[in-house]
Amino acid sequence: MWRELHPIGRDADSGGYRRSAWTGADADCRTWFQEQAARRGLAYETDRNGNQWAWLGDPAAGDAVVTGSHLDSVPDGGAFDGPLGVVSAFAALDELRARGAEFTRPLAVTNFGDEEGARFGLACVGSRLTAGQLTKEQAYELRDGDGVRLPEAMEAAGYDPEAIGADPGRLARIGAFVELHVEQGRALDLSGDPVGIASAIWPHGRWRFDFRGEANHAGTTRLADRRDPMLSYAETVLAARREAELAGAVATFGKISVEPNGVNAIPSLVRGWLDARAADQDTLDTVVTAVEKAAREYADRHGVDLAVVRESFTPVVEFAHALRDELGAILRERTGRAVPVLGTGAGHDAGILSASVPTAMLFVRNPTGVSHSPAEHAAEDDCAAGVRALADVLEGLACR
């Protein structure tokens, strides 16, 4: 399975993956998923929001145990973020069948669409739509960098954008959702454990900072006469780093758009996107407020206008304690040792679904802690340990 997925959407120069939603690479990943379902005799379906499902047992029976993740990527992303959870889900089912497990609850493997938000700027679109956290009207307003609207992209890929929206009937089928994911940090590497259980997802969001100045000639305009938004933006980037360090949080300007974007032109507009995350809501609010305050001071100093727009936000997610504890008990019984429980600053479909169904997450050790990069990695034996842990959990939940 890993070898089949490996070349899809991979850039030959960077070695990273470009599997944005509703593109050719995304379609190839979806075809791969459908083929995996067919090989195992699973009932395949795509829901109204473009999420894929492979069912063992009656989907309408309710109380199903669902596992999976996503197959799309950030620009030049790594091979493991998302795909490891989907591959491991199919592999865990294979393991359970090899054990002769008898299922007492329906089981499903899923691939949620557009989790990374790389194309339209909003993460977890597929799960947000399903959970009713993103309305059809809001989704229709999403555009990519070329101005293509989400419904146009879906239609071009062969999906019906008129059908998208909240799907409470589908959520009612799910009794528990367990997502396996490569760890996006080094907590497991430092503790020496191959697998961990998630406790919570930090609150996080994305804010767009629009600095508007005045375009002019780079060679003839005196420094004193300039209204250069790039200066305000650059100072704000440094302020974000400073405020995050003071608060023990993380804040990153990772995307920028410049107009007119000429080497010999002073910009008229610099648009930067801030990604900020913290262990609790108060800390996050403190950081973002401080960054915006600093940005406005810099903008005023340089005669630049500033608009700040919050484009997305996810509050702190505490995974269902009962399900989390059940996973811990199952793995302790199987391995004879306690499995570490750790928080994460990364968002996931499991976090979105947690408001609607009991959810839990397993993490697989990442020796470098690098993620959203071609250098992202997990060792083969750790991946195998993740599959065994997921199989143990699914057996404990769905084969009682």
Side-chain angles (χ1 to χ4, degrees):
M1 285 187 288
W2 202 255
R3 284 193 299 271
E4 291 172 2
L5 268 179
H6 185 71
I8 298 176
R10 193 177 191 200
D11 182 76
D13 294 327
S14 70
Y17 288 88
R18 299 178 182 179
R19 297 168 173 164
S20 296
W22 313 117
T23 63
D26 185 49
D28 290 343
C29 287
R30 289 170 174 273
T31 298
W32 172 89
F33 183 96
Q34 187 171 0
E35 291 172 349
Q36 296 304 316
R39 289 179 192 177
R40 292 166 176 78
L42 305 178
Y44 171 81
E45 62 176 337
T46 303
D47 67 23
R48 63 191 299 177
N49 297 307
N51 305 310
Q52 295 179 290
W53 302 79
W55 288 92
L56 177 67
D58 182 7
D63 200 32
V65 177
V66 179
T67 186
S69 191
H70 64 94
L71 294 173
D72 66 313
S73 75
V74 299
D76 283 330
F80 293 81
D81 182 354
L84 180 62
V86 180
V87 170
S88 297
F90 284 120
L93 174 58
D94 295 343
E95 168 68 13
L96 290 177
R97 283 175 161 172
R99 294 179 186 179
E102 296 183 4
F103 292 86
T104 57
R105 300 167 69 179
L107 179 73
V109 177
T110 187
N111 166 38
F112 282 104
D114 200 3
E115 194 272 352
E116 293 291 5
R119 183 173 181 184
F120 298 100
L122 179 65
C124 301
V125 169
S127 55
R128 284 183 193 273
L129 282 168
T130 300
Q133 297 180 26
L134 176 68
T135 67
K136 179 178 179 179
E137 293 73 23
Q138 290 169 330
Y140 269 40
E141 293 300 314
L142 296 175
R143 296 176 183 269
D144 67 11
D146 296 322
V148 178
R149 295 166 56 241
L150 173 63
E152 296 168 344
M154 290 186 69
E155 191 168 30
Y159 293 83
D160 179 13
E162 288 297 320
I164 66 174
D167 200 347
R170 181 165 299 275
L171 294 175
R173 297 178 178 182
I174 304 173
F177 176 66
V178 180
E179 180 174 3
L180 179 143
H181 205 281
V182 66
E183 188 194 358
Q184 294 167 293
R186 291 190 59 216
L188 292 174
D189 182 57
L190 295 173
S191 70
D193 295 283
V195 177
I197 298 173
S199 59
I201 297 175
W202 286 10
H204 57 279
R206 298 178 182 182
W207 288 261
R208 192 185 77 233
F209 285 62
D210 293 347
F211 297 89
R212 295 185 183 274
E214 181 179 51
N216 215 326
H217 197 293
T220 62
T221 309
R222 295 193 319 152
L223 295 180
D225 294 336
R226 300 184 180 200
R227 295 176 55 226
D228 186 350
M230 187 64 78
L231 297 177
S232 304
Y233 171 72
E235 291 171 316
T236 301
V237 172
L238 297 175
R241 174 60 180 260
R242 181 178 65 250
E243 297 299 335
E245 284 184 327
L246 289 172
V250 290
T252 307
F253 277 96
K255 179 180 177 181
I256 182 174
S257 172
V258 181
E259 297 178 8
N261 204 29
V263 175
N264 59 349
I266 299 166
S268 59
L269 169 66
V270 176
R271 176 171 286 153
W273 282 263
L274 171 69
D275 180 301
R277 308 169 190 237
D280 59 80
Q281 187 63 57
D282 289 344
T283 302
L284 180 62
D285 291 342
T286 297
V287 170
V288 175
T289 299
V291 173
E292 181 174 349
K293 180 175 182 292
R296 295 197 181 282
E297 291 174 355
Y298 300 140
D300 288 344
R301 182 185 307 164
H302 297 294
V304 170
D305 297 324
L306 171 64
V308 179
V309 178
R310 190 180 79 178
E311 292 194 334
S312 68
F313 177 73
T314 302
V316 63
V317 173
E318 284 280 350
F319 289 111
H321 289 198
L323 181 59
R324 183 187 71 196
D325 293 346
E326 188 171 6
L327 263 62
I330 291 170
L331 294 178
R332 189 182 309 110
E333 180 181 349
R334 295 300 181 98
T335 64
R337 58 181 295 184
V339 176
V341 179
L342 55 146
T344 176
H348 301 280
D349 291 308
I352 300 298
L353 297 181
S354 67
S356 304
V357 298
T359 61
M361 290 192 70
L362 294 174
F363 290 128
V364 172
R365 176 166 49 193
N366 177 345
T368 66
V370 174
S371 187
H372 284 187
S373 159
E376 181 179 83
H377 179 69
E380 185 174 334
D381 56 347
D382 284 346
C383 292
V387 169
R388 289 192 296 271
L390 181 59
D392 290 341
V393 165
L394 297 178
E395 187 172 21
L397 295 175
C399 302
R400 293 177 295 186

